[in-house]
Amino acid sequence: MASDTLRFVRKYWPLFLEFTITLVAQRIKAFTHRFTYHLLPTCKNVVVLGGSFSGAFLARRLGESLPSGYKVILIEKNSHFNFCFNFPRYSVVQGHEQNAFIPYDGLASGTPAGIFEIIRDTATGIRDEEVELASGKRIPFAYLAVATGALQPPPARLLSSEKNEACAELKALQDRIIGGKKIGIIGGGAVGVQLAGDIKSFYPDKHVVLIHSRDQLLPSFGVRLHKYVVDKLQDLGVELMLGERPAIPSTGDGTGTDLVFPDGRKETFDVIVPCIGQIPNSSILDGFSPSSISPQTRRILVESTLQLRNGEDPKSRELHNVFALGDVAETDGYRMARSGAMQAEVVRGNIIALINDKELEKYSPIAAEGGLKLSLGKDEYVMYVQDPDGTDFLIPGKSSKVDLEVEKGWKMFGAKFKKTSV
């Protein structure tokens, strides 16, 4: 493993150096921007739909760089930013759930007065250069970026848009796990793996079964990671059922439920937690540009510049001022927060390029965007990166923070951390 660390550093240090230089340059430009920007009475709107990772990154960077005469409006239904990386851990460990919800106010910190506006509402439609909201309001836009992400069942995503109610969802799952003896986790992606490892390491007396439809856990990554994770989960005592696809019943609170497997056998669990399924949240385009939605994946089709692609009909409307990014967009990139941040920077640059009649940049993903940091129980993690040529890097580590260093997430979004754990 030590050799992986050295190989990783040798290969990626130029990229880290370039990133550091770019970040410093961004900070300098953001600082000077506060003194050169002027809020005009007739500002045009750059609207961002969705305040998860991609949308939040984009809105903040636009607030740091839009020229005078433009302002950014972030439209988001949630009361707080959901730091969903930590949801699996906070579904198991009590007393930390409040820390997963970060105030949006910090996104505007350091930006010129008046350039940044957050509207808490739900977008219901797009037409005639306007976004229609559930409240009945219409928000005109000169440029629009769709970053509405994807829908997933709890605990990957939560149902409530209110912080207190979302915390209650996590607490309810904590209580179910504490009260259950045999717990079934369905889905061997990152959420399922982390949830299974956390339950077994914090509550070693539980019988935890991780059920996955394929023979490989984390199938979006290399076999080497699968083998490493299988060993760690088995060391913890997690039972693995690979290549199994049971019917998932609808049982309300998910307790006392039988799973029926394809061969007809049944197994009874006290708690069942589905960790499968990701549905792109692209319905906002159904009435605006339906040909921009992939019929196969339901993701939004985009050009290499991340502008909407609207099919082959030459009579289709011009969509040069509408972009899509993040999990909802059909790109060659990874479906990771890091990719969302990279795409956000491309969209930001291209909106400003359109304003200034400059050439647009193309998004070209790099392997580092697909890097994964996966917790494996309460005190271990593994980092994994795979290059397109199949070369991979697997770097294990130890973690001493039960809250998974959530304070870094608060800092990332400009918020002052308020520790509420018990």
Side-chain angles (χ1 to χ4, degrees), residues 182-188 196 207-217 226 230 233-234 237-247 259-263 265-269:
K182 186 177 181 181
I183 301 168
I185 310 298
I186 304 178
H207 182 189
V208 180
V209 184
L210 179 60
I211 306 163
H212 188 50
S213 61
R214 304 189 190 185
D215 293 326
Q216 178 184 334
L217 296 176
H226 159 79
V230 165
L233 291 177
Q234 290 179 335
V238 175
E239 179 185 346
L240 298 176
M241 297 178 64
L242 302 181
E244 296 280 8
R245 191 189 294 270
L259 282 183
V260 181
F261 290 83
D263 61 3
R265 76 185 190 280
K266 293 182 180 179
E267 287 208 29
T268 300
F269 296 83

Side-chain angles (χ1 to χ4, degrees), residues 148-299:
T148 44
L151 305 174
Q152 291 178 274
R157 299 288 189 273
L158 299 177
L159 302 177
S160 177
S161 59
E162 294 285 348
K163 174 184 175 180
N164 290 339
E165 294 175 6
C167 285
E169 290 184 52
L170 293 174
K171 289 178 181 178
L173 184 50
Q174 294 165 12
D175 291 341
R176 286 170 53 201
I177 289 170
I178 290 171
K181 293 182 178 180
K182 186 177 181 181
I183 301 168
I185 310 298
I186 304 178
V191 174
V193 166
Q194 291 180 108
L195 190 61
D198 279 350
I199 294 172
K200 192 62 182 178
S201 59
F202 283 97
Y203 301 105
D205 60 320
K206 307 291 184 187
H207 182 189
V208 180
V209 184
L210 179 60
I211 306 163
H212 188 50
S213 61
R214 304 189 190 185
D215 293 326
Q216 178 184 334
L217 296 176
L218 302 156
S220 299
F221 302 90
V223 175
R224 187 179 175 208
L225 178 62
H226 159 79
K227 292 178 178 178
Y228 182 86
V229 170
V230 165
D231 288 344
K232 288 295 181 181
L233 291 177
Q234 290 179 335
D235 288 345
L236 287 170
V238 175
E239 179 185 346
L240 298 176
M241 297 178 64
L242 302 181
E244 296 280 8
R245 191 189 294 270
I248 302 176
S250 176
T251 58
D253 62 1
T255 58
T257 303
D258 288 337
L259 282 183
V260 181
F261 290 83
D263 61 3
R265 76 185 190 280
K266 293 182 180 179
E267 287 208 29
T268 300
F269 296 83
D270 299 305
V271 181
I272 293 175
V273 186
C275 297
I276 57 176
Q278 188 181 74
I279 304 173
N281 193 15
S282 58
S283 59
I284 189 69
L285 293 186
D286 283 343
F288 175 68
S289 182
S291 66
S292 297
I293 301 175
S294 166
Q296 290 78 33
T297 67
R298 287 291 298 175
R299 295 192 185 98

Side-chain angles (χ1 to χ4, degrees), residues 25-338:
Q26 287 178 359
R27 295 300 94 212
I28 293 172
K29 290 179 179 179
F31 178 77
T32 59
H33 178 252
R34 284 187 285 174
F35 303 100
T36 58
Y37 176 86
H38 301 288
L39 184 66
L40 303 180
T42 56
C43 271
K44 296 180 180 178
N45 297 328
V46 179
V47 175
V48 179
L49 298 184
S52 192
F53 286 96
S54 302
F57 282 133
L58 174 59
R60 185 173 192 181
R61 289 290 294 128
L62 286 168
E64 295 174 342
S65 55
L66 280 175
S68 300
Y70 291 85
K71 61 179 289 189
V72 58
I73 297 178
L74 174 63
I75 298 173
E76 167 57 41
K77 67 176 183 178
N78 287 328
S79 64
H80 290 69
F81 180 88
N82 285 209
F83 199 69
C84 55
F85 288 151
N86 289 17
F87 283 175
R89 171 64 57 88
Y90 296 173
S91 299
V92 177
V93 181
Q94 295 178 308
H96 297 273
E97 58 278 345
Q98 296 280 341
N99 298 331
F101 303 96
I102 304 171
Y104 276 108
D105 296 347
L107 291 178
S109 62
T111 62
I115 197 174
F116 199 112
E117 182 181 355
I118 300 175
I119 296 177
R120 190 177 172 209
D121 211 328
T122 300
T124 57
I126 305 169
R127 66 178 66 211
D128 300 327
E129 307 275 305
E130 288 184 332
V131 176
E132 300 172 336
L133 303 182
S135 63
K137 294 180 181 179
R138 293 174 178 264
I139 308 299
F141 64 85
Y143 298 95
L144 175 68
V146 181
T148 44
L151 305 174
Q152 291 178 274
R157 299 288 189 273
L158 299 177
L159 302 177
S160 177
S161 59
E162 294 285 348
K163 174 184 175 180
N164 290 339
E165 294 175 6
C167 285
E169 290 184 52
L170 293 174
K171 289 178 181 178
L173 184 50
Q174 294 165 12
D175 291 341
R176 286 170 53 201
I177 289 170
I178 290 171
K181 293 182 178 180
K182 186 177 181 181
I183 301 168
I185 310 298
I186 304 178
V191 174
V193 166
Q194 291 180 108
L195 190 61
D198 279 350
I199 294 172
K200 192 62 182 178
S201 59
F202 283 97
Y203 301 105
D205 60 320
K206 307 291 184 187
H207 182 189
V208 180
V209 184
L210 179 60
I211 306 163
H212 188 50
S213 61
R214 304 189 190 185
D215 293 326
Q216 178 184 334
L217 296 176
L218 302 156
S220 299
F221 302 90
V223 175
R224 187 179 175 208
L225 178 62
H226 159 79
K227 292 178 178 178
Y228 182 86
V229 170
V230 165
D231 288 344
K232 288 295 181 181
L233 291 177
Q234 290 179 335
D235 288 345
L236 287 170
V238 175
E239 179 185 346
L240 298 176
M241 297 178 64
L242 302 181
E244 296 280 8
R245 191 189 294 270
I248 302 176
S250 176
T251 58
D253 62 1
T255 58
T257 303
D258 288 337
L259 282 183
V260 181
F261 290 83
D263 61 3
R265 76 185 190 280
K266 293 182 180 179
E267 287 208 29
T268 300
F269 296 83
D270 299 305
V271 181
I272 293 175
V273 186
C275 297
I276 57 176
Q278 188 181 74
I279 304 173
N281 193 15
S282 58
S283 59
I284 189 69
L285 293 186
D286 283 343
F288 175 68
S289 182
S291 66
S292 297
I293 301 175
S294 166
Q296 290 78 33
T297 67
R298 287 291 298 175
R299 295 192 185 98
I300 298 174
L301 302 173
V302 293
E303 306 290 352
S304 58
T305 56
L306 301 181
Q307 293 164 296
L308 258 62
R309 179 154 50 93
N310 60 354
E312 304 301 326
D313 185 356
K315 296 181 181 180
S316 297
R317 70 173 76 212
E318 291 288 335
L319 295 173
H320 69 279
N321 65 333
V322 183
F323 296 79
L325 67 158
D327 288 350
V328 75
E330 191 75 278
T331 71
D332 294 329
Y334 304 87
R335 313 220 176 274
M336 311 284 278
R338 196 174 294 106

